[in-house]
Amino acid sequence: MRWLIRLFRKRKIEHQLDSELRFHIEQRTADLIANGVTPTEARRHALIEFGGIERAKEECREARGWSFAEDTWRDICYGVRMLRKSPGFTTVAVLTLALGIGANTAIFSVVDAAFLSSLPVRDPGRLVVLQWRAHEGPRASNMSGYGDCGRVGGSQSTSGCSFSYPMYAQIRARRSVFAQAIAFAGAGQLDLSGNGPASIVQGRLVSGNFFGTLGVRAVIGRLIEPSDDRTGAAPVVVLSYRLWQSAFGGSPSVIGRSIRLNNVVFTIVGVADPRFAGITPGSLYDLWVPLSQTTPLRVAWVSHSRHDPGNWWLVIVGRLKTGVSLSQAQAAVSLLFRNDMLHGAKPLFTAQADPRIVLLRAREGLTGGRAYYEDPLLVLMLSVGIVLLIACANVAGLTLARSASRQKEMAVRLALGAGPLRIARQLLSENLLLAALGGLIGFLFAYWGVHAFISMEHSQLRVSPDLRILGFTAAISVLTGILAGSAPAFRGPRVDLVPSLKEGGGGFPGGARPRGRWFSAGNALVVAQVALAVVLLAGAGLLIRTLENLESLNPGFDTKSVLLFGVDPALLGYNASRTESLYAQLQQRLAALPGVASVGYSTRALLSHSLSETSVYIEGQPGKSRNVDILGTGLGFFSTLRIPLVAGREFDSADFARADAAAAAREADKSLPPPISSHTFLSPREPPSASSKVSALISVLVNEAFVRQFLGKRNPLGVTIGEDKNGNWEIVGVVGDAKYSNLRRAVHPTVYVPLAGGGAHFELRTAVSPESLIPAVRGVVEHVDPELPLFGMKTQTQTIQQLLSSQRLFSQLLGFFAFLALLLACLGLYGLLSYEVARRTREIGIRMALGAQRSSVFRLVVGEGLALALVGGAIGIAVSLGVTRYLGSLLYGVRPGNPAILIGVVALITLVAALACYVPARKAMRVDPNVALRQE
Amino acid sequence: MNEEKAAILKGTLDMLILKIVALGPIHGYAISQRIQQISKDYFRLQQGSLYPALHSLENRGLLAADWRATDTGREAKFYKLTPKGRKHLEAEMESWERTAQAVALILRTAQ
């Protein structure tokens, strides 16, 4: 700390030095006067004896030595002075760096929020997620997941994070491994009523120790406790802070209030901490209820088989005991799992399958939706890194040009005795100063940028500038300063003293330079900038083309003027036959609305990111099950969406009657095949026993892809297929291929079955603007059943917009960064050429005096600029061919190395480079030989 | 006019200052007077060059300084020896003695 104190005591030290020396002289004067010398003479004599006072002072200061801090302070003061002397350079350099640093900070803060921030719970490092692995899938009757740890695979999946309730109970009871083990599952969409109009909320089923183990606190009231999870406990619910604010106005009086979820009365006992919206990053839940309420809530895919060891539906998270390592815990849990799976009451694996458990740290295991934006974010990180590199090269180029014009200053300083290291340090600190200013402004850019990004995306990420982000910005600012400053700093001192001092203004310093200029540092920097910009432009070009391809894609049905909405009467306890009459009534009344052309319905809305898959056996192809997409459709689905019928017939009401009868039989048998929430993929391994009892064949339709892939030339009509080997589905028609869950996914073989029971999405083909019908549609549904909530009301065009929104944002961001890169690179080119023209004014003057035409001077400059741009462009194309290969999975309908895009990029860069050359070239052309030669 | 006065041998000024300060706290002017007096005006000392030496010694921690009143009541900067300075002085004096003896020996025996 001594240096710091000395820095601030500088004035005091100066003052003391002054009085010490004055004391000496006055004392000497007094002594001489005492010896009889006259006062004037005495003082004169004392001063002569002493010698130069200022020199003595300077030597004293020198003797004390300059501390590092004082040196740095001097550097900063000097740097500020130098930068203020050339405001143009400073502004350009600071803004360039601010753009580079700001872009990096913005993207980093999104990455930080998505990947690096820790879970909002106590001691997250000790939390582990259980994942099972095996060589083949289990004979579980049901497997469901909720987007917590990646996809739950199809029927052939050999790993997963879902477990049965009995397994959870065993693991929880084994206290030697985990201090606590919690379990949770999605409750899907719940119908919330008793608080104004009925609405749909997202719920979670959690074990009683969930909040206690995670260490989450309540804002008001209490959270779910183990006693709430006992059988027969009173139904309680904990609200998320968000729902409490939005639906209950944040009123403290909600504690103790009753609400109805799926028509079951629940008591609100508390509100969770606002920072906790779920344990999986990016997930947002509205409320939590105890696992014991699964059955009353009629959560369709578990309610009947909550304790069935074959129903795997719970995610298990354990808190490691102190002193137990991850591998110890893994071995113990794995053994438990293996024993139960192979030798338990109901063996679900064979020994060959080698079932085992892997423990993943909660942060790595609970990925949530992360997988969907991992790649785009990585690409964005790389591109802002490139932008920053270009910015660095740009500022390095500017500094280089400036340091060349400051050669005389450097020479003077060297001549006066400054060491080369001292000068390098000076140049470096000027650049660090620039970078610090750039970092400051960049941080503001990033702050605004990220907020614009969040509000545009309605993102669920919580991004806020924190210490880590500030640290990141500071670190890249320093790095930038060093990168941008090092080239000139180490080149600066290599100044030949004599010619620089002799040189007048801007002749050709170091007369030997004109040859071999091609490899000058300035040229190399510009070539590098152009090359990097080309790489970004090529990448952006590919992604923009991808977006265009997706936007102009024909999904196989008419997406214009379609209004969608969903209802789920099963939540209110409707059975299959009541559901069918409800749908018939709704369809009839909706079709009667003025402006509605036709009405259809289906289990899922198309292009809404939701999907069901199953596997089927095909008649005549025994022992071989095929993975297919499956969609339940109601009357009028195909005609409303204008999906063409290729062969056979559409469903008629008899088909629905048979399907309903089968569904009713299954309901009676209490083994309802579970509907599926989004991101959930089911594989009913043990088909419902009831299906074999139903003798009547159910009519199904398939798409052309199904016929192409599985039936070939065989006539598809009349072929029976089924989810088990004695198939009870008969193909009665073939329809055109249509995209199912999203635009990117290829059309898979699809089976369309008659919708029987469960929720549905209605599709309305309208003759007027679809939005204008929304109030009327709400009125119809309310009239039919006031308790029935509507959800997901939007137009088909909107669903497509939503599918593409992140793609669009991604392409736009990358396009923006590429544009920025192009701009910076051309600014670099412009700067270099301007400097060259200024430096060579005299040479140009001589050329003209010797008879060179103005046009040839113009060509000289433009030629040099274009040559640099083309060399940069060629290198950039080569690099981008190598790099854009990794974009593969993000592209659609366009391949890396697309010649049209590469040619476009080269044309663009040439055009912009020509513009950048134009101004300096004009300047060169206007050089007046008389003035140029007389300049010295 | 000062031809008979010798310049202080390089490196010995520090030792002389330390030796004088060792006698008790003293200010810069008094040090310069002492050197003149004791050496009977033999050394030619540019008084201004004393101070950089003092500051350097202080900076190296061999001298400590504080401000106090002189006999005449004026504030002056008084220097005193630190323990480190005392050790340094002893070492310097010893090495000086040895050097001087060696030089004298050579001069004598080489005759």
Side-chain angles (χ1 to χ4, degrees), chain A residues 695-719:
Chain A
S695 49
L697 287 178
I698 292 172
S699 309
V700 297
L701 300 179
V702 295
N703 65 357
E704 288 178 293
F706 186 100
V707 176
R708 217 168 30 243
Q709 287 190 29
F710 300 148
L711 300 176
K713 298 237 179 310
R714 189 170 156 196
N715 177 14
L717 300 181
V719 172

Side-chain angles (χ1 to χ4, degrees), chain A residues 25-45:
Chain A
I25 292 175
E26 281 166 12
Q27 204 66 26
R28 180 70 189 146
T29 311
D31 280 359
L32 287 172
I33 290 171
N35 286 347
V37 184
T38 61
T40 339
E41 188 61 18
R43 184 162 176 80
R44 203 179 71 86
H45 205 77

Side-chain angles (χ1 to χ4, degrees), chain A residues 25-75:
Chain A
I25 292 175
E26 281 166 12
Q27 204 66 26
R28 180 70 189 146
T29 311
D31 280 359
L32 287 172
I33 290 171
N35 286 347
V37 184
T38 61
T40 339
E41 188 61 18
R43 184 162 176 80
R44 203 179 71 86
H45 205 77
L47 286 173
I48 290 172
E49 270 183 7
F50 192 86
I53 294 185
E54 282 310 314
R55 216 187 85 203
K57 277 191 186 173
E58 189 53 43
E59 279 172 14
C60 285
R61 287 184 204 118
E62 209 62 48
R64 269 182 185 278
W66 284 99
S67 69
F68 177 74
E70 283 165 323
D71 266 349
T72 309
W73 183 245
R74 244 176 1 171
D75 282 344

Side-chain angles (χ1 to χ4, degrees), chain A residues 2 6 16-17 19-24 26-28 31 46 48-52 56 59-60 63-65, chain B residues 27-29 32-33 45-52 54-56 58-59 67 70 72 74-77 79:
Chain A
R2 242 182 77 213
R6 272 177 60 176
Q16 288 185 347
L17 181 61
S19 26
E20 189 180 15
L21 299 189
R22 209 169 44 219
F23 171 78
H24 182 108
E26 281 166 12
Q27 204 66 26
R28 180 70 189 146
D31 280 359
I48 290 172
E49 270 183 7
F50 192 86
E59 279 172 14
C60 285
R64 269 182 185 278
Chain B
H27 54 70
Y29 176 65
S32 76
Q33 294 303 98
L45 176 65
Q46 179 90 62
Q47 292 173 8
S49 63
L50 178 67
Y51 286 93
L54 280 171
H55 282 245
S56 155
E58 189 190 352
N59 198 39
W67 289 78
T70 61
T72 57
R74 283 205 53 178
E75 282 272 299
K77 190 177 181 186
Y79 293 90

Side-chain angles (χ1 to χ4, degrees), chain A residues 191 193 235 259-267 293 295-298 571:
Chain A
D191 169 22
S193 53
I259 53 169
R260 268 175 305 160
L261 294 172
N262 291 359
N263 259 348
V264 182
V265 175
F266 277 79
T267 310
Q293 299 304 324
T295 311
L297 280 176
R298 289 188 295 271
L571 299 181

